[in-house]
Amino acid sequence: MTKAGRSTVTTTVPVTEETFAQAGKVLAVHLSYSSRAAQRGRTPKFPSYFMKASSSLAATNGTVERPAGTELLAFEGEIALIIGTAARRVTVDEAWSHVGSVTASNDLGVHDMKYADKGSNIRSKSGDGYTPLGPNALDAAALDPAKLRVQTWVNGQLAQDATTSELLFSFAQIIADLSQQMTLRPGDIILTGTPAGSTVFFPGDVVEVEVTDLITGTTTGKLKTTATEGTAVFGSFGNQPKASDKDKEDAYGDRASAGLPPVVTGKEVLTDKVREQLASVATATLSATLRKRGLNNVNIEVPGATKGMRRVIGTARTLRYIPNREDLFKAHGGGYNTQKQSIDSLENGEILVMEARGETGSATLGDILALRSQQLGAAGIISDGGVRDLDAVSNLEIPVFYNGAHPAVLGRKHVAWDKDITVACGGVSVQPGDVIVADSDGIVVIPPALVEEVAAEAVITESNDEFIFAMVKRGYGIEGLFPMNAQWKAKYHAWKDAGSPELDSWAL
């Protein structure tokens, strides 16, 4: 049923050039459907927006040009709201009454120019014809906004199909939120986000989008757009098209569709088996195993360890400090700064790795932040800078690796600048997601893609070393034993075949 007081008949009107002329602004929501958020791997707490040029508006049955030199023209089937009456600082309860009509839209964009926009989407999303609408608009007064459906077809094949029941933010919330800072005027258009299924399409492909009222079955009709190949190249006076792997992933919807290899993270590879293997071998063995693969610069060098030889295994989160400059510290150092945000976002099993340039003349954290990290389940903290409240920090359960102790607060030498980026700690590059194995004997950084094979090989190496150590202990000389020659290898394998009995009493 429609809501009380609303018409039980959904009427439609054509979307015309007059519709486009009345659009003072076109606003668009970044993420609003749960399926799209799951695909992107992040769920925002509140809606966020960007603007598109009103000159990008276009009618059904038109064409859209994929600019010469680009390859990532993508479609996004959406529901568009056309404002009927002015809205300024309206409540969520009042917001829907300010919508005049609803229609189908296609939020087109060329991801090859996304880098140049620095988040504004001006060039990537505002090209001529990049916001087709229509062909008809549904009277909002007859609609329940929670009972609409949006579908997208490419060359007749269904690519997107979702209802507004999966919205993260209601249309009313979006309208009320936008109206807090700007007046929404009659004719303004709000693109309300796209569900999963958006991807790249190519010259000659036809994309159709349709919005349906699930109560009455009335539809906007299919909004049809055909892609064409552009011939005019970008001038040398402006940014040229280029696309990173992340741009390709965003355009296609996922890495596999974009033809990219999967990203391996430490959390994925740190299975119970791998953790057990890493815990059973010395950090020196892990370092030597990585060295065989050409990775020599994997050992973070800091002298302090609050928990001695207690083994710490986890995935890296990162935080970077820059040298203090008073104006920068004034702007970025106080309140809920990057340092506190980074620590407050730690999750179970993660290790915070802090780059402090080896500067120990000021602390990079103290007991309160270390305690907060412990409460969140962090596996450890590594800093190549100083630690204050060292006695209190040492008495906490969380292992902390540090370069020195200092009583001074952060701002004496450091400004917490950015987080979750590649950092340099103790002479080693560390990326978010790297696997860290640490104790007072050493700290080893393992690229996630190598973790499984390194752990397995290290276990074998450790077994070899255990055998050699026991033989030396029994009085055998080094020659031929370390490393093992064929004769000793045969004895080693015989010991393994026997089930690795106690070496002190095992008969050779």
Side-chain angles (χ1 to χ4, degrees):
M1 294 179 61
T2 56
K3 293 185 178 180
R6 288 184 177 156
S7 169
T8 57
V9 178
T10 304
T11 59
T12 65
V13 295
V15 173
T16 65
E17 290 294 331
E18 184 178 356
T19 307
F20 306 150
Q22 291 176 344
K25 50 187 173 287
V26 181
L27 306 166
V29 182
H30 281 114
L31 276 176
S32 59
Y33 284 82
S34 58
S35 59
R36 178 75 159 179
Q39 193 176 41
R40 290 292 172 89
R42 56 187 174 89
T43 301
K45 185 176 181 180
F46 299 108
S48 61
Y49 315 95
F50 60 94
M51 296 187 74
K52 299 189 73 171
S54 57
S55 58
S56 70
L57 295 169
T60 190
N61 296 319
T63 60
V64 62
E65 180 183 286
R66 187 181 76 173
T70 68
E71 57 178 298
L72 302 178
L73 177 64
F75 64 83
E76 295 181 11
E78 304 195 14
I79 297 171
L81 312 179
I82 303 176
I83 298 299
T85 58
R88 175 70 165 125
R89 294 197 178 102
V90 299
T91 66
V92 173
D93 289 340
E94 298 167 336
W96 184 251
S97 66
H98 292 271
V99 180
S101 57
V102 171
T103 190
S105 65
N106 196 340
D107 180 14
L108 298 166
V110 59
H111 289 251
D112 310 70
M113 295 303 293
K114 191 175 178 180
Y115 82 97
D117 289 336
K118 303 187 188 314
S120 70
N121 287 340
I122 292 295
R123 281 162 286 198
S124 60
K125 289 275 193 175
S126 284
D128 288 349
Y130 278 31
T131 317
L133 297 179
N136 299 306
L138 310 178
D139 179 13
L143 299 175
D144 181 343
K147 296 181 180 179
L148 299 176
R149 181 184 191 184
V150 59
Q151 295 171 286
T152 307
W153 296 263
V154 180
N155 300 328
Q157 298 295 311
L158 188 64
Q160 292 180 289
D161 190 353
T163 70
T164 48
S165 63
E166 74 161 86
L167 282 171
L168 299 171
F169 317 108
S170 70
F171 292 160
Q173 180 184 350
I174 290 168
I175 295 162
D177 187 27
L178 287 167
S179 77
Q180 292 185 96
Q181 291 183 280
M182 66 179 75
T183 300
L184 300 175
R185 301 190 182 280
D188 286 350
I189 294 167
I190 302 174
L191 309 183
T192 58
T194 195
S198 162
T199 191
V200 170
F201 68 119
F202 303 91
D205 287 347
V206 177
V207 178
E208 297 171 297
V209 184
E210 185 175 40
V211 174
T212 303
D213 174 6
L214 292 174
I215 296 174
T216 66
T218 309
T219 83
T220 59
K222 288 186 176 181
L223 170 67
K224 180 179 177 181
T225 305
T226 303
T228 63
E229 182 69 86
T231 57
V233 299
F234 284 87
S236 60
F237 45 81
N239 285 295
Q240 300 299 301
K242 68 177 182 179
S244 66
D245 284 355
K246 184 64 169 64
D247 294 326
K248 293 176 182 179
E249 180 182 350
D250 287 348
Y252 278 92
D254 56 65
R255 292 183 67 84
S257 299
L260 299 170
V263 175
V264 180
T265 67
K267 287 187 177 180
E268 292 172 340
V269 299
L270 275 182
T271 61
D272 290 344
K273 177 183 177 181
V274 170
R275 281 183 177 275
E276 183 179 346
Q277 290 173 327
L278 293 174
S280 70
V281 300
T283 53
T285 304
L286 292 171
S287 182
T289 306
L290 286 164
R291 190 161 53 251
K292 292 178 183 178
R293 289 160 174 76
L295 294 176
N296 292 300
N297 300 308
V298 293
N299 300 112
I300 296 175
E301 296 184 8
V302 295
T306 62
K307 298 303 174 186
M309 285 300 292
R310 184 199 294 183
R311 179 59 57 87
V312 180
I313 301 171
T315 53
R317 292 284 300 278
T318 60
L319 172 62
R320 182 170 75 102
Y321 296 100
I322 63 172
N324 182 43
R325 203 178 82 187
E326 287 74 8
D327 60 325
L328 295 179
F329 189 84
K330 183 177 180 180
H332 300 277
Y336 194 55
N337 60 19
T338 301
Q339 177 203 44
K340 295 181 177 68
Q341 293 172 33
S342 180
I343 286 172
D344 233 5
S345 67
L346 290 172
E347 297 182 1
N348 188 58
E350 294 179 332
I351 297 174
L352 179 60
V353 180
M354 298 190 285
E355 173 189 337
R357 313 172 312 283
E359 172 60 67
T360 59
S362 180
T364 53
L365 89 161
D367 58 345
I368 293 175
L369 296 182
L371 175 60
R372 177 58 176 160
S373 304
Q374 176 179 301
Q375 290 174 329
L376 293 170
I381 300 169
I382 302 170
S383 173
D384 66 356
V387 172
R388 66 190 301 223
D389 312 312
L390 182 57
D391 185 58
V393 170
S394 298
N395 286 325
L396 295 173
E397 280 300 305
I398 187 169
V400 177
F401 301 83
Y402 60 95
N403 205 17
H406 202 284
V409 295
L410 189 67
R412 183 171 184 267
K413 293 286 185 179
H414 305 294
V415 183
W417 197 249
D418 43 20
K419 60 187 180 70
D420 297 326
I421 61 166
T422 300
V423 299
C425 180
V428 176
S429 297
V430 181
Q431 295 191 301
D434 281 346
V435 172
I436 307 290
V437 182
D439 53 34
S440 61
D441 208 21
I443 304 172
V444 182
V445 180
I446 309 175
L450 296 178
V451 169
E452 290 179 297
E453 63 180 81
V454 166
E457 183 177 329
V459 168
I460 295 172
T461 301
E462 194 85 355
S463 175
N464 281 323
D465 289 350
E466 179 188 358
F467 179 84
I468 294 169
F469 183 85
M471 295 302 102
V472 173
K473 185 178 179 182
R474 289 171 66 168
Y476 290 99
I478 295 297
E479 185 178 2
L481 175 60
F482 186 49
M484 288 187 285
N485 58 21
Q487 182 181 359
W488 276 113
K489 283 182 180 178
K491 292 178 179 180
Y492 166 76
H493 289 300
W495 170 67
K496 293 292 290 183
D497 291 342
S500 305
E502 286 293 329
L503 281 163
D504 288 344
S505 58
W506 181 68
L508 291 174

